[in-house]
Amino acid sequence: MLTPDDDKTGSESAADVMASLRSSGALDEVMAKIDAGQLQITGEGGFLQEMVKAVLERGLNTELTSHLGYDKGDPAGRLLPNARNGTSAKTVASEVGDIELAIPRDRDGTFTPTLIPKGVRRIGGLDEMIISLYANGMTIRDIEHHLITTIGTEISRETISKITDSVLDEVMIWQKRPLDEIYPILFLDAIQVKIRDGHQVRNKAAHIAVGVDLDGVKHVLGIWVQATEGAKFWAGVCAELANRGVKDVLIACTDGLTGFDDAISATWKNTTIQTCTVHLIRASMRFVAYGERKKIAAELRRIYTAPTAEAAEDALTAFKESELGRRHPHTVATWDNAWERFIPFLAFPPELRKIIYTTNAIESLNYQLRKIIKNRGHFPNDQAAVKLLWLAICNIEDKRARERAKLAADRTRPRDGKMVNRLVEGASVNGWKQALATLVLNYPDRLDPYIN
């Protein structure tokens, strides 16, 4: 079915046609019956359903006229070898409900309609509606019930599953698409998903990588469900990114993933690995009583806001030797174990520090994804999990793209910095020009070939 924006050149838009009908009074009788309750707009037998039926059947008859070479009722048709031969019934599902169509036939059986091709049972963007519902977190059972109760269309769960599976090819293309040669900053974070493994349901980590390109724009590079632990899994992820064109990563920000350091070093030997300070603080607070958390947080702040690595080490030593530190050896051990991965960002000025000290650049995205996957008890396999996460990311970014367009169009409205900061795909890192200048000073040999 045509949308209001289809083929605007050389023809009126739907809005123009509707305005013309209103001004001519052609809709007055219809509106009067709707107001009187004599005619319903949607649902079975509704005005929209009958309108779509009339448009489709008229189009089908026009196609048959073109195929046969004569108009319906034209006596000349009697002299031609092929002619009309009644109709056959066909029910198609649409956005306005099930529509019963009378498909015209010819005697020779050579007519093949293009408006409603043979075998097609869904029209008018219904597949896109189902995929959108799925991407927003509805289960297949939920979608089945939603379609029946809202538009009166009954579609089997098997069909709904096949419709959502139709995007798998797009997922594979997206997951294997070429990438830039260099990403100054790479963020890695994970969310937990439940996936069936044989007769058991296991918790697996779905890792999402977001790369910041030379223009400071963030891109989701891929989704990987961790099938094996440690270095073997991360070696595969890094190898995949390298095979897709990534030749260098300056700084990789993670939350202390096991085996990731070795895999990064083996793929891009000069990459600086920075552990997420926010994750480190959370881990060190795990066994701290609520009443002492504010005191410990104040002590830890002196460490991660220190001007240099040496000053940070002095602050950690002071915390170790304090009564508070002696009562919480787990907190001290957490910082000791992560120290080499924590201190790299302290070598940079504040404009770069605030970008790389945490993986919060993708925390908002993960928050949205968790809301979507919580409706599912578990996924049947890794592929199903990746499919939903990809659809959800596309859906989230489509909404955020509209937000960006709205902000750009409304020049009189003050820009909401917080809303802009939360955008991921296609959004720019705040203060990127100053951060890039710092990176160029620290990594001139690696950035100059791409900057100049």
Side-chain angles (χ1 to χ4, degrees), residues 241-254:
L241 292 174
N243 291 337
R244 290 165 60 190
V246 181
K247 294 182 179 179
D248 197 6
V249 173
L250 302 185
I251 302 170
C253 305
T254 74

Side-chain angles (χ1 to χ4, degrees), residues 223-449:
I223 306 169
W224 299 270
V225 175
Q226 189 162 357
T228 58
E229 296 293 334
K232 184 177 180 180
F233 169 76
W234 286 113
V237 171
C238 292
E240 179 183 321
L241 292 174
N243 291 337
R244 290 165 60 190
V246 181
K247 294 182 179 179
D248 197 6
V249 173
L250 302 185
I251 302 170
C253 305
T254 74
D255 58 351
L257 303 167
T258 303
F260 181 72
D261 297 18
D262 294 337
I264 280 280
S265 299
T267 309
W268 306 291
K269 62 181 180 180
N270 295 318
T271 297
T272 299
I273 300 172
Q274 172 66 50
T275 195
C276 172
T277 304
V278 173
H279 283 84
L280 182 57
I281 294 170
R282 289 174 185 167
S284 63
M285 291 281 200
R286 188 169 300 157
F287 302 110
V288 176
Y290 181 79
E292 292 190 306
R293 288 190 174 185
K294 286 187 177 180
K295 295 179 182 178
I296 291 183
E299 294 297 323
L300 296 181
R301 181 175 175 80
R302 296 177 183 177
I303 300 173
Y304 63 81
T305 59
T308 63
E310 292 76 14
E313 189 171 5
D314 291 341
L316 178 60
T317 300
F319 175 65
K320 287 180 185 179
E321 296 173 351
S322 68
E323 182 183 351
L324 200 60
R326 289 195 296 269
R327 288 206 309 270
H328 297 90
H330 172 268
T331 300
V332 173
T334 301
W335 283 81
D336 278 339
N337 295 335
W339 192 253
E340 293 303 319
R341 298 190 306 273
F342 159 72
I343 58 174
F345 88 108
L346 295 174
F348 300 109
E351 56 266 20
L352 185 56
R353 280 192 189 187
K354 65 182 181 181
I355 296 173
I356 66 174
Y357 89 103
T358 177
T359 58
N360 278 352
I362 54 176
E363 280 292 330
S364 173
L365 178 64
N366 285 349
Y367 172 74
Q368 297 291 333
L369 295 178
R370 288 187 185 98
K371 289 199 300 183
I372 290 169
I373 64 175
K374 72 178 181 180
N375 291 335
R376 282 159 174 74
H378 65 272
F379 294 94
N381 50 53
D382 294 356
Q383 188 181 55
V386 173
K387 175 182 73 173
L388 176 61
L389 290 172
W390 178 80
L391 282 170
I393 288 171
C394 291
N395 192 53
I396 291 167
E397 293 311 328
D398 181 57
K399 292 177 183 176
R400 290 172 168 177
R402 290 198 296 271
E403 290 177 5
R404 287 193 293 271
K406 185 176 180 180
L407 285 173
D410 189 359
R411 300 298 183 185
T412 62
R413 175 183 170 186
R415 293 181 64 84
D416 184 345
K418 292 184 179 179
M419 181 160 61
V420 175
N421 288 342
R422 291 203 305 270
L423 306 180
V424 176
E425 183 76 18
S428 297
V429 174
N430 279 352
W432 178 248
K433 288 186 178 180
Q434 295 88 340
L436 182 61
T438 300
L439 289 171
V440 170
L441 288 175
N442 284 270
Y443 305 100
D445 296 339
R446 295 160 70 183
L447 281 177
D448 282 351

Side-chain angles (χ1 to χ4, degrees), residues 21-89:
L21 289 173
R22 284 198 193 98
S23 61
S24 69
L27 289 178
D28 291 349
E29 185 177 352
V30 173
M31 295 301 180
K33 289 184 177 181
I34 292 174
D35 292 340
Q38 299 173 354
L39 179 65
Q40 63 182 33
I41 301 176
T42 59
E44 186 175 355
F47 176 73
L48 291 179
Q49 198 177 65
E50 292 301 318
M51 177 65 76
V52 173
K53 173 182 170 69
V55 170
L56 291 176
E57 289 183 346
R58 177 169 179 168
L60 290 167
N61 280 299
T62 300
E63 285 189 45
L64 182 59
T65 295
S66 177
H67 176 72
L68 296 175
Y70 73 95
D71 293 326
K72 187 176 182 179
D74 189 342
R78 300 173 184 175
L79 304 177
L80 298 175
N82 195 11
R84 286 174 168 79
N85 188 31
T87 61
S88 59

Side-chain angles (χ1 to χ4, degrees), residues 1-317:
M1 293 175 60
L2 292 177
T3 63
D5 294 326
D6 288 338
D7 194 23
K8 285 188 178 180
T9 57
S11 64
E12 290 182 291
S13 69
D16 293 335
V17 172
M18 185 59 67
S20 177
L21 289 173
R22 284 198 193 98
S23 61
S24 69
L27 289 178
D28 291 349
E29 185 177 352
V30 173
M31 295 301 180
K33 289 184 177 181
I34 292 174
D35 292 340
Q38 299 173 354
L39 179 65
Q40 63 182 33
I41 301 176
T42 59
E44 186 175 355
F47 176 73
L48 291 179
Q49 198 177 65
E50 292 301 318
M51 177 65 76
V52 173
K53 173 182 170 69
V55 170
L56 291 176
E57 289 183 346
R58 177 169 179 168
L60 290 167
N61 280 299
T62 300
E63 285 189 45
L64 182 59
T65 295
S66 177
H67 176 72
L68 296 175
Y70 73 95
D71 293 326
K72 187 176 182 179
D74 189 342
R78 300 173 184 175
L79 304 177
L80 298 175
N82 195 11
R84 286 174 168 79
N85 188 31
T87 61
S88 59
K90 180 176 182 177
T91 301
V92 293
S94 77
E95 293 173 291
V96 295
D98 290 343
I99 300 174
E100 295 182 5
L101 296 174
I103 307 294
R105 300 178 301 192
D106 63 334
R107 289 179 181 175
D108 292 348
T110 56
F111 174 54
T112 303
T114 57
L115 185 60
I116 307 292
K118 291 182 178 180
V120 169
R121 294 289 177 181
R122 299 180 303 277
I123 62 168
L126 187 60
D127 285 13
E128 288 78 7
M129 177 193 292
I130 290 171
I131 290 173
S132 177
L133 293 172
Y134 188 82
N136 276 285
M138 293 182 69
T139 64
I140 289 174
R141 186 190 298 268
D142 292 338
I143 294 172
E144 178 190 36
H145 178 70
H146 177 78
L147 295 177
I148 292 174
T149 56
T150 55
I151 62 175
T153 294
E154 186 171 355
I155 298 179
S156 70
R157 296 174 196 173
E158 292 77 13
T159 300
I160 295 173
S161 181
K162 288 179 181 178
I163 292 171
T164 59
D165 283 344
S166 66
V167 304
L168 287 175
D169 288 342
E170 293 182 59
V171 176
M172 295 303 296
I173 293 171
W174 176 80
Q175 189 81 347
K176 295 179 179 179
R177 73 194 189 281
L179 300 175
D180 292 350
E181 291 188 5
I182 185 170
Y183 287 94
I185 302 174
L186 177 68
F187 297 101
L188 274 167
D189 204 358
I191 59 175
Q192 294 295 317
V193 292
K194 295 182 181 294
I195 298 177
R196 177 167 292 280
D197 185 3
H199 297 290
Q200 295 181 333
V201 175
R202 296 175 52 199
N203 282 328
K204 291 188 176 182
H207 295 276
I208 299 174
V210 171
V212 180
D213 67 16
L214 290 171
D215 295 322
V217 178
K218 292 177 266 188
H219 304 273
V220 180
L221 305 184
I223 306 169
W224 299 270
V225 175
Q226 189 162 357
T228 58
E229 296 293 334
K232 184 177 180 180
F233 169 76
W234 286 113
V237 171
C238 292
E240 179 183 321
L241 292 174
N243 291 337
R244 290 165 60 190
V246 181
K247 294 182 179 179
D248 197 6
V249 173
L250 302 185
I251 302 170
C253 305
T254 74
D255 58 351
L257 303 167
T258 303
F260 181 72
D261 297 18
D262 294 337
I264 280 280
S265 299
T267 309
W268 306 291
K269 62 181 180 180
N270 295 318
T271 297
T272 299
I273 300 172
Q274 172 66 50
T275 195
C276 172
T277 304
V278 173
H279 283 84
L280 182 57
I281 294 170
R282 289 174 185 167
S284 63
M285 291 281 200
R286 188 169 300 157
F287 302 110
V288 176
Y290 181 79
E292 292 190 306
R293 288 190 174 185
K294 286 187 177 180
K295 295 179 182 178
I296 291 183
E299 294 297 323
L300 296 181
R301 181 175 175 80
R302 296 177 183 177
I303 300 173
Y304 63 81
T305 59
T308 63
E310 292 76 14
E313 189 171 5
D314 291 341
L316 178 60
T317 300

